Amino acid sequence: MPGLLRGVARTAVVAGTATAVSNRVSRRQAGRWAQQEAPQEAPQAAAAPPPPAPAPAAAPAADDMNTKIDQLKQLSTLKEQGVLTEEEFAEQKRRLLG
């Protein structure tokens, strides 16, 4: 019986080592292939058209104003629910409106 157990243990060690080595080789090969493909992708990125021109300045300002209004409504709701005191509400409002 000890001989059989020793043989099974040896097989398990060999199989585990072979699996670990195989996984490591696969990872190294994948890394090398990725490095070889990366320089080929760079010229394609350089040839890409430039990004579209930014939107007019009025659009972000309006969007920003809507965000501030929504935040003020949330603050007001929190004050009405008693979560914020009058002082806390005033401070948050001052920070928000800048």
Side-chain angles (χ1 to χ4, degrees):
M1 192 70 162
L4 179 62
L5 188 58
R6 186 178 306 139
V8 169
R10 183 180 299 154
T11 301
V13 169
V14 170
T17 303
T19 301
V21 170
S22 173
N23 290 340
R24 183 170 181 218
V25 169
S26 295
R27 283 192 302 269
R28 282 165 92 203
Q29 284 178 343
R32 286 182 184 164
W33 291 336
Q35 286 176 353
Q36 289 174 354
E37 291 176 3
Q40 294 172 358
E41 292 175 4
Q44 293 173 353
D63 194 35
D64 186 43
M65 184 56 92
N66 288 336
T67 302
K68 287 183 180 182
I69 291 171
D70 289 341
Q71 290 174 345
L72 281 171
K73 287 179 182 177
Q74 290 174 350
L75 286 173
S76 176
T77 304
L78 290 173
K79 186 181 97 172
E80 290 170 4
Q81 293 173 347
V83 175
L84 292 177
T85 64
E86 185 66 37
E87 294 81 24
E88 292 170 331
F89 174 74
E91 175 65 22
Q92 293 298 324
K93 182 176 151 184
R94 184 189 61 77
R95 285 184 185 174
L96 183 62
L97 297 176

